[in-house]
């Protein structure tokens, strides 16, 4: 017995043969030989495609614990303290100190680095040494431009959208920093009156991202997701970024 899929293909082939026979016999296509209008689709004109690179610096330190986390850890410590064994004093008394360079006498207690850096205090948005517990994203501004954007460039024939985003980043920052593109598919796209912009995510693994002298961009900033609305004014882009950018 013929399978349904094979039967459908055979019927389609017969219709194609009958249509060709009608055209050959009469020299023109009659109404019965024409394809239904539902099969006829207009091919849209080629639209402008743009590939953008969303380059992020991952958090360097753990974020501060929230209030409920602090309360839970305090409760957990109390519960564990009830059942822990008491060790002899000679095992628990601190007897050693760690040498710390720069301290008076050459010996001192180790002190953790402050969570707030000099770049935070100076509000230096060009520095990667700020907001260490958050993700930062690279935005650039062209000469004479009034708005900020991600490194981006127009798509050319023969390359994938990821390759377009990679080229946009290569044309913007100097060689040296190690970056990693996350996947081949874009994170999302936005329709503009001038075309479509596809956003590909990349991560800064190592190094600093300084602008090329030959780049069209002349200014750059590293901003967090919360700061993004101050720089990106387009509502459609803001909506997409709020969905695709991590916390």
């Amino acid at each position: 017995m013929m399978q349904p899929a094979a039967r459908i293909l055979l019927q389609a082939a017969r219709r194609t043969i009958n249509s060709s026979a009608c055209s050959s016999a009469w020299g023109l296509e009659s109404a019965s030989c024409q394809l239904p209008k539902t099969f006829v689709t207009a091919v849209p004109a080629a639209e402008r495609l743009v590939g953008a690179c969303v380059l992020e610096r991952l958090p360097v330190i753990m974020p501060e614990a929230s209030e409920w986390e602090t309360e839970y850890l305090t409760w957990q410590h109390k519960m564990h303290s009830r059942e822990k064994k008491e060790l002899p004093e000679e095992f628990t008394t601190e007897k050693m100190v760690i040498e710390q360079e720069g301290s008076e006498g050459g010996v001192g207690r180790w002190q953790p680095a402050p969570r707030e850096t000099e770049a935070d205090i100076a509000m230096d948005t060009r520095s990667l040494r700020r907001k260490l517990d958050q993700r930062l994203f690279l935005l650039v501004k062209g000469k004479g431009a009034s708005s900020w954007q991600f490194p981006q460039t127009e798509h050319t024939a023969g390359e994938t959208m990821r390759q377009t985003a990679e080229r946009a980043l290569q044309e913007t920052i100097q060689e040296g920093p190690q970056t990693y593109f996350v996947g081949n598919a874009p994170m999302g796209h936005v329709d503009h009156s001038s075309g479509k912009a596809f956003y590909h995510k990349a991560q800064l693994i190592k190094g600093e991202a300084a602008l090329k002298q030959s780049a069209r961009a002349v200014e750059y900033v590293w901003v967090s997701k919360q700061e993004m609305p101050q720089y990106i004014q387009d509502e459609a882009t803001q909506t997409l970024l709020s969905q695709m950018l991590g916390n």
Side-chain angles (χ1 to χ4, degrees):
M1 184 175 180
M2 186 177 296
Q3 296 296 325
R7 188 184 305 113
I8 293 173
L9 292 174
L10 181 58
Q11 292 174 354
R14 287 175 177 173
R15 284 197 297 267
T16 303
I17 294 172
N18 293 337
S19 177
S20 301
C22 282
S23 300
S24 301
W26 298 98
L28 50 82
E29 290 188 359
S30 63
S32 61
C33 295
Q34 294 179 356
L35 290 174
K37 292 183 179 180
T38 54
F39 288 94
V40 182
T41 57
V43 179
E47 58 183 341
R48 181 173 177 265
L49 302 178
V50 172
C53 175
V54 182
L55 182 63
E56 69 171 344
R57 186 222 67 191
L58 295 173
V60 179
I61 61 177
M62 294 290 293
E64 291 190 35
S66 59
E67 184 177 353
W68 71 267
E69 289 177 302
T70 304
E71 292 178 357
Y72 172 76
L73 292 174
T74 303
W75 170 83
Q76 187 183 55
H77 177 71
K78 290 180 179 179
M79 295 296 294
H80 289 172
S81 298
R82 293 178 184 178
E83 301 180 0
K84 73 177 183 179
K85 295 181 178 180
E86 293 292 337
L87 298 175
E89 186 177 353
E90 56 267 22
F91 288 100
T92 58
T93 303
E94 183 179 9
K95 295 183 178 180
M96 298 179 61
V97 292
I98 303 174
E99 289 190 14
Q100 182 178 8
E101 295 182 3
S103 60
E104 296 182 2
V107 177
R109 292 182 179 274
W110 175 82
Q111 295 292 335
R115 299 180 65 89
E116 187 178 41
T117 65
E118 294 181 0
D120 287 315
I121 299 173
M123 301 179 65
D124 183 7
T125 55
R126 292 167 59 95
S127 174
L128 286 169
R129 298 291 302 169
R130 63 185 293 266
K131 295 188 179 296
L132 299 181
D133 60 342
Q134 300 181 35
R135 298 169 184 262
L136 294 182
F137 302 91
L138 176 65
L139 294 178
V140 297
K141 181 192 286 187
K143 186 176 181 180
S146 59
S147 59
W148 294 86
Q149 62 184 18
F150 295 101
Q152 61 185 43
T153 189
E154 191 167 349
H155 175 264
T156 59
E159 66 180 3
T160 64
M161 291 308 303
R162 168 172 166 164
Q163 291 172 337
T164 303
E166 290 175 341
R167 181 165 54 85
L169 184 61
Q170 293 171 358
E171 293 175 352
T172 302
I173 65 174
Q174 298 178 6
E175 296 182 5
Q178 181 182 354
T179 59
Y180 172 73
F181 273 77
V182 183
N184 292 318
M187 298 177 62
H189 76 278
V190 176
D191 292 318
H192 297 289
S193 58
S194 58
K196 289 184 178 181
F198 291 84
Y199 294 88
H200 281 261
K201 188 176 184 179
Q203 295 173 346
L204 179 65
I205 305 301
K206 183 180 179 181
E208 298 281 340
L211 295 182
K212 280 185 175 180
Q213 294 183 351
S214 59
R216 289 174 294 180
V218 294
E219 296 182 59
Y220 72 95
V221 290
W222 288 96
V223 298
S224 65
K225 179 181 178 180
Q226 291 72 23
E227 297 171 327
M228 198 71 69
Q230 303 175 24
Y231 295 86
I232 303 295
Q233 307 300 327
D234 182 69
E235 294 184 2
T237 305
Q238 285 185 11
T239 302
L240 176 65
L241 295 178
S242 65
Q243 296 172 353
M244 73 180 188
L245 299 183
N247 295 325

